[in-house]
């Protein structure tokens, strides 16, 4: 579905391209590569329905090869008849605003007459600039910035908060050495452009209050060195069975909208038209920002009615009607989704588990799990169309992703990287061994959400569960760390020293620069034969890193101390002189450092450690 020119606006278009003489005579501002230019203008004649109008600004800019070329920048309406572009120059030299256009395709759009008090010419100085990460062309599980510098995402989610909350949270993340986060645009926090609580928006209208809040949030991310995934939609908006908010959605026909059921979001022409208009506005207003690592089309789209399809939803309803649960219980369960307290084992399986078991029995002939919805192909087509639309709009080489069905789902076809969300009772093994195995992923992948929702422990707020999960995530060989979901707990209970310890180790191990791959598990031998110690390892051409973890430490506030030895692969005896550095995973400090001269037997004694310990083995300097 494409936009049509507004008939009234078309009739009013009379404009002139700015001449080279006018451009050269305009005021010049001096700035550096990577610094945002904000250029404002006012069309001579007001544009009706400005949030739906496709307006462009053409900038004549120097190219990387030394020539010049036109850059098409989508413009956005900012109220009171004012339009703006935000433009981040990537090359030094003179950047000139040469014309304004109205039309879906900038190549054929009509020229728009407009007045401006902004400069039309900007002299951009050279300077270092690192942003817009992309998949490496040399190795699958690696991101690199525009200047070729490797990037390893490590952080936590920050789905929604007040602006003041983001300011404090992003500063704490920065101080802990984190460089990644994930921000949603939900209505309940005032971050949605087209759904505002307590306010009725006209069809096609977007909320400028929400836009200005997002301005500050995105600016705060960049100020604090964060790359964010901006999540454009979330599953609950169009779901009747997982975290559903469909009953309150303004597009729901029951609320005066036009959609009879949530699955129509992916196919209805009006929904697609308005969604594209919103995405165009998002790219125009925030696409300039080097803080936005990727547009994330959907959070957990597999939980939408549209993805499941009519057959799967009918089976789900049938499962709900079993005698295992009352309909009232089902309603409560679905509203709470993952966050249910588990029933003690003495009382048998939890209500949630009974519902899942019933669902699995009804759908066991439909494999693989979560990919039995007939609607997945329709939703895949929606993803393809929206991804191509965003790429055509965005003047920058920005990635696009979604979350989080199986990797053979058609929703991934046009995505630049995969992400996995993990909430399991036993979390360490899935963190290290990604679903399907790392070799199954033909694009970068990392765990973008993980949590301990399924673990029963009233004391887990101290972060001990997260500690093990975070460190296990470092040893998966994925393109990024395992990212904590519970940002509210991280802030409330101050998990940032734990994050700081992890980022110090990641920097020392050079997880971004070195091409680590999973190594065979090592054997740990304890002198006192206590504890069930797991060992996970990664190797690269220049280093070998591993993590020893007492499995019992997840369930006790005072884990046992251990001292033993690690049996390394025999080839270590044949390598040159090596150095082993042992790291305290809680303080992020070096516990011990020892030389391993060539010919040393491949048996490595450990220092005394409590709960877990990590090590880096590398060539001696």
């Amino acid at each position: 579905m494409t936009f049509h020119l507004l008939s009234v606006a078309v009739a009013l278009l009379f404009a002139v391209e700015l001449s080279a003489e006018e451009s050269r005579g305009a005021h010049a501002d001096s700035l550096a590569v990577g610094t945002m230019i904000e250029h404002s203008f006012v069309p001579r004649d007001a544009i009706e329905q400005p949030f739906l109008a496709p307006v462009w600004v053409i900038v004549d800019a120097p190219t990387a090869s030394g020539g010049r070329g036109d850059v098409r920048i989508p413009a956005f309406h900012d109220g009171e008849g004012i339009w703006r572009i935000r433009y981040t120059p990537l090359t030094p030299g003179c950047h000139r605003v040469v014309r304004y256009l109205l039309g879906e395709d900038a190549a054929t759009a009509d020229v728009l007459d407009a007045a401006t008090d902004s400069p039309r010419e900007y002299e951009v100085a050279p300077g270092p600039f690192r942003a817009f990460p992309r998949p490496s062309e040399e190795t699958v599980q690696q991101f690199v910035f525009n200047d070729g510098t490797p990037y390893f995402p490590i952080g936590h989610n920050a789905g929604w908060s007040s602006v003041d909350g983001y300011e404090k949270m992003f500063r704490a993340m920065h101080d802990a050495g984190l460089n990644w986060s994930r921000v949603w645009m939900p209505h309940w926090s005032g971050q949605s452009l087209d759904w505002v609580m307590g306010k009725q928006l006209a069809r096609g209208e977007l909320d400028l209050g929400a836009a200005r809040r997002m301005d500050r949030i995105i600016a705060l991310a960049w100020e604090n060195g964060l790359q964010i995934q901006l999540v454009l939609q979330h599953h609950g908006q169009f779901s009747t069975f997982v975290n559903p908010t469909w009953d309150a959605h303004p597009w729901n026909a029951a609320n005066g909208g036009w959609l009879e059921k949530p699955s129509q979001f992916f196919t209805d022409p009006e929904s697609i038209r308005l969604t594209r208009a919103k995405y165009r506005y998002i790219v125009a207003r925030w696409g300039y920002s080097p803080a936005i690592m990727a547009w994330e089309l959907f959070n957990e789209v597999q939980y939408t009615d549209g993805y499941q399809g009519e057959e799967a939803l009918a089976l789900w309803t049938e499962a709900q009607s079993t005698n295992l649960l009352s309909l009232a219980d089902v309603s409560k369960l679905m509203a709470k989704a993952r966050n249910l307290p588990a029933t003690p084992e003495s009382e048998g399986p939890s209500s949630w588990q009974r519902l899942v078991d019933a669902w699995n029995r009804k759908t066991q002939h439909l494999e693989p799990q979560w990919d039995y919805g007939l609607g997945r192909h329709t939703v895949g087509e929606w993803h393809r169309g929206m991804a191509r639309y965003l790429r055509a709009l965005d003047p920058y080489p920005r990635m696009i992703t979604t979350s989080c069905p199986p990797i053979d789902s058609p929703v991934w076809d046009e995505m630049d990287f995969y992400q996995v969300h993990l909430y399991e009772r036993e979390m360490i093994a899935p963190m290290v061994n990604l679903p399907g195995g790392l070799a199954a992923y033909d694009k970068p992948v990392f765990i973008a959400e993980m949590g301990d929702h399924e673990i029963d422990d009233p004391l887990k707020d101290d972060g001990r569960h997260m500690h093990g999960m975070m460190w296990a995530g470092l040893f998966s060989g994925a393109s990024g760390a395992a990212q904590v979901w519970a940002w509210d707990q991280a802030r409330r209970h101050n998990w940032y020293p734990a994050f700081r310890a992890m980022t110090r180790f990641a920097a020392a191990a050079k997880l971004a620069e070195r091409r680590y791959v999973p190594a065979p598990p090592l054997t740990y031998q304890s002198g006192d034969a206590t504890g069930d110690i797991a060992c996970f390892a990664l190797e690269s051409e220049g280093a070998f890193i591993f993590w020893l973890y007492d499995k019992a430490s997840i369930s006790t506030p005072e884990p046992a101390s251990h001292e033993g030895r690690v049996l390394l692969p025999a080839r270590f005896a044949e390598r040159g002189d090596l150095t082993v550095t042992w790291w305290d995973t809680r303080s992020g400090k070096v516990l011990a450092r020892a030389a391993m001269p060539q010919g040393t037997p491949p048996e490595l004694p450990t220092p005394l450690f409590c709960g877990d310990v990590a090590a880096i083995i590398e060539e001696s300097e």
Side-chain angles (χ1 to χ4, degrees):
M1 173 61 63
T2 58
F3 286 111
H4 297 284
L5 293 176
L6 300 172
S7 57
V8 175
V10 171
L12 297 175
L13 296 181
F14 303 94
V16 219
E17 183 173 340
L18 302 178
S19 68
E21 289 74 20
E22 287 177 313
S23 184
R24 279 194 295 271
H27 174 68
D29 277 357
S30 180
L31 55 142
V33 165
T35 305
M36 181 192 76
I37 295 169
E38 184 171 275
H39 176 90
S40 305
F41 59 98
V42 177
R44 301 285 185 188
D45 297 297
I47 297 176
E48 292 188 5
Q49 294 186 294
F51 294 110
L52 297 176
V55 174
W56 304 84
V57 173
I58 304 301
V59 177
D60 173 48
T63 64
S65 61
R68 298 191 68 84
D70 285 348
V71 180
R72 304 177 303 168
I73 310 296
F76 64 92
H77 176 62
D78 203 22
E80 300 181 349
I82 298 171
W83 290 74
R84 306 184 196 278
I85 60 164
R86 290 173 178 166
Y87 169 57
T88 299
L90 303 181
T91 52
C94 186
H95 294 248
R96 305 185 186 103
V97 173
V98 293
R99 58 191 178 275
Y100 310 99
L101 303 173
L102 175 61
E104 181 59 35
D105 184 352
T108 59
D110 293 278
V111 180
L112 177 67
D113 188 16
T116 181
D117 291 330
S118 294
R120 288 173 171 166
E121 186 170 292
Y122 300 85
E123 192 63 40
V124 176
F129 179 58
R130 179 179 300 165
F132 304 119
R134 64 182 186 275
S136 168
E137 295 180 357
E138 298 179 4
T139 182
V140 173
Q141 293 304 329
Q142 188 181 52
F143 295 111
V144 294
F145 285 111
N146 65 306
D147 66 351
T149 304
Y151 170 59
F152 184 82
I154 183 168
H156 68 66
N157 283 259
W160 51 87
S161 182
S162 64
V163 173
D164 180 63
Y166 274 115
E167 187 166 8
K168 294 174 182 176
M169 179 164 44
F170 286 172
R171 172 53 57 184
M173 295 177 74
H174 171 271
D175 292 346
L178 302 177
N179 63 18
W180 175 96
S181 194
R182 187 165 167 267
V183 174
W184 289 27
M185 299 183 73
H187 67 284
W188 57 78
S189 62
Q191 292 167 219
S192 173
L193 296 178
D194 57 357
W195 182 355
V196 181
M197 295 183 70
K199 181 179 179 181
Q200 185 65 41
L201 297 176
R203 189 176 297 192
E205 181 186 1
L206 301 177
D207 185 65
L208 290 173
R212 287 165 187 154
R213 279 189 289 277
M214 290 302 301
D215 284 345
R216 185 61 185 141
I217 292 166
I218 290 168
L220 284 167
W222 182 241
E223 290 168 16
N224 287 286
L226 297 175
Q227 292 287 307
I228 63 173
Q229 291 171 211
L230 190 60
V231 183
L232 308 185
Q233 309 284 167
H234 64 90
H235 61 281
Q237 294 171 311
F238 304 105
S239 177
T240 59
F241 64 103
V242 174
N243 309 123
T245 58
W246 168 246
D247 284 351
H249 200 291
W251 292 7
N252 187 334
N255 302 321
W258 62 93
L259 297 181
E260 296 295 333
K261 50 188 179 181
S263 58
Q264 293 172 334
F265 170 77
F266 297 102
T267 57
D268 175 70
E270 181 71 350
S271 296
I272 292 172
R273 182 177 81 96
L274 295 182
T275 300
R276 284 191 171 191
K278 180 176 74 169
Y279 291 178
R280 189 183 203 283
Y281 192 89
I282 287 169
V283 172
R285 188 155 191 142
W286 302 302
Y288 80 90
S289 177
I292 299 179
M293 165 186 174
W295 308 119
E296 183 173 330
L297 291 174
F298 244 99
N299 173 75
E300 299 182 353
V301 72
Q302 80 275 24
Y303 293 131
T304 62
D305 289 28
Y307 187 89
Q308 290 305 310
E310 299 299 330
E311 179 184 352
L313 287 173
L315 288 167
W316 179 260
T317 302
E318 186 180 351
Q320 289 178 343
S321 67
T322 66
N323 293 326
L324 291 173
L325 292 169
S326 70
L327 291 177
D329 287 339
V330 169
S331 177
K332 292 176 183 177
L333 287 172
M334 300 318 298
K336 290 185 177 180
R338 305 193 200 100
N339 298 312
L340 292 168
T343 304
E345 290 184 8
S346 60
E347 299 178 21
S350 67
S351 296
W352 174 253
Q353 188 60 53
R354 293 201 307 273
L355 180 58
V356 170
D357 290 344
W359 169 245
N360 288 338
R361 284 195 297 273
K362 295 292 183 182
T363 60
Q364 59 187 345
H365 66 290
L366 298 170
E367 296 292 344
Q369 190 175 14
W370 284 121
D371 199 20
Y372 27 69
L374 299 180
R376 66 188 183 274
H377 298 294
T378 297
V379 175
E381 188 59 37
W382 182 92
H383 274 72
R384 282 189 288 273
M386 289 300 177
R388 291 169 184 172
Y389 183 69
L390 286 171
R391 286 197 178 93
L393 285 173
D394 197 340
Y396 301 100
R398 196 184 324 271
M399 296 186 291
I400 300 173
T401 191
T402 193
S403 62
C404 65
I407 61 170
D408 60 352
S409 170
V411 304
W412 293 111
D413 291 352
E414 290 278 339
M415 303 300 108
D416 292 297
F417 64 94
Y418 299 105
Q419 58 175 306
V420 175
H421 296 183
L422 282 179
Y423 296 89
E424 303 285 346
R425 181 168 293 276
E426 201 295 301
M427 291 291 288
I428 301 303
M431 288 292 160
V432 177
N433 303 301
L434 291 171
L438 193 62
Y441 298 89
D442 57 349
K443 307 171 187 177
V445 60
F446 60 93
I447 299 168
E449 271 192 36
M450 62 96 170
D452 56 7
H453 297 1
E454 300 298 322
I455 298 172
D456 309 331
D457 186 347
L459 301 178
K460 68 182 180 181
D461 283 348
D462 64 10
R464 89 176 71 101
H465 302 91
M466 284 299 169
H467 175 87
M469 296 174 197
M470 291 189 302
W471 278 86
L474 288 184
F475 286 83
S476 67
S479 59
Q483 320 292 3
V484 170
W485 167 252
W487 68 91
D488 51 344
Q489 288 179 287
R491 290 182 59 196
R492 189 182 312 120
H493 302 290
N494 190 25
W495 292 350
Y496 291 102
F499 287 119
R500 175 77 270 184
M502 190 170 58
T503 59
R504 284 175 178 161
F505 177 83
K510 299 181 180 178
L511 279 174
E513 296 90 341
R514 291 169 172 160
R515 299 175 187 173
Y516 284 104
V517 296
L522 304 180
T523 299
Y524 171 79
Q525 294 181 340
S526 173
D528 57 13
T530 61
D532 184 3
I533 308 296
C535 186
F536 304 104
L538 297 174
E539 59 184 333
S540 71
E541 290 184 6
F544 188 93
I545 63 176
F546 62 90
W547 178 59
L548 299 174
Y549 176 69
D550 180 357
K551 296 178 182 179
S553 66
I554 201 169
S555 58
T556 175
E558 298 181 2
S561 296
H562 302 279
E563 192 170 16
R565 60 179 182 169
V566 176
L567 305 184
L568 299 173
R571 65 179 182 276
F572 273 77
E574 304 168 2
R575 297 180 65 166
D577 293 344
L578 302 173
T579 299
V580 58
T581 306
W582 293 95
W583 284 77
D584 184 324
T585 61
R586 285 165 173 78
S587 69
K589 296 179 181 178
V590 172
L591 278 174
R593 184 176 284 113
M596 295 178 61
Q598 187 173 11
T600 300
E603 296 181 1
L604 186 63
T606 75
L608 184 68
F609 68 94
C610 181
D612 65 319
V613 69
I616 303 171
I617 302 176
E618 52 197 339
E619 296 175 359
S620 300
E621 295 182 356

